[in-house]
Amino acid sequence: MPRSFPHAPPSHQPAHFGHGGSASTEPEFTGPEWYAAYAEPHAADGAEGRLVSQYSFDASWDSWEVHPHGAELVIVTAGSLTLERSAKSTASASSAPLRESPPRLRASA
């Protein structure tokens, strides 16, 4: 049975994708302590669980994010940014400019 989600921008109400195609909306993000409350009910999903959220920024960050056991997908929907990436194990670093792309329509066969 399809599950309906309340209408809320992803930046206000993140979603969790879990085992077997499950999905749930999460409480509004409130700060770093939010992650502990998020992790507890979804621990059984382990490495298969995914957090989906959207953010807007108008300035550079003054901190770094670390994802030691997973990947991150970054989609630029407006403006541009420079994504910096470093690999702790190899002490290498790289950066890549990203900017929004115009929507593309793909014909289905």
Side-chain angles (χ1 to χ4, degrees):
M1 179 166 142
R3 184 172 182 176
S4 63
F5 291 92
H7 179 70
S11 59
H12 294 115
Q13 193 161 17
H16 173 81
F17 294 160
H19 281 292
S22 65
S24 61
T25 54
E26 300 300 316
E28 186 170 345
F29 183 77
T30 56
E33 68 284 350
W34 181 92
Y35 291 102
Y38 162 77
E40 190 175 321
H42 301 297
D45 287 331
E48 297 304 312
R50 300 290 183 261
L51 173 63
V52 179
S53 55
Q54 178 178 331
Y55 299 96
S56 296
F57 300 99
D58 59 7
S60 293
W61 287 17
D62 60 359
S63 62
W64 290 85
E65 279 191 323
V66 178
H67 299 275
H69 303 292
E72 180 171 295
L73 172 65
V74 176
I75 299 171
V76 180
T77 59
S80 63
L81 63 85
T82 299
L83 181 66
E84 296 183 16
R85 180 177 167 238
S86 65
K88 183 179 178 183
S89 61
T90 62
S92 66
S94 63
S95 65
L98 303 174
R99 48 183 80 68
E100 68 181 297
S101 296
R104 295 182 186 156
L105 297 177
R106 176 181 257 168
S108 59

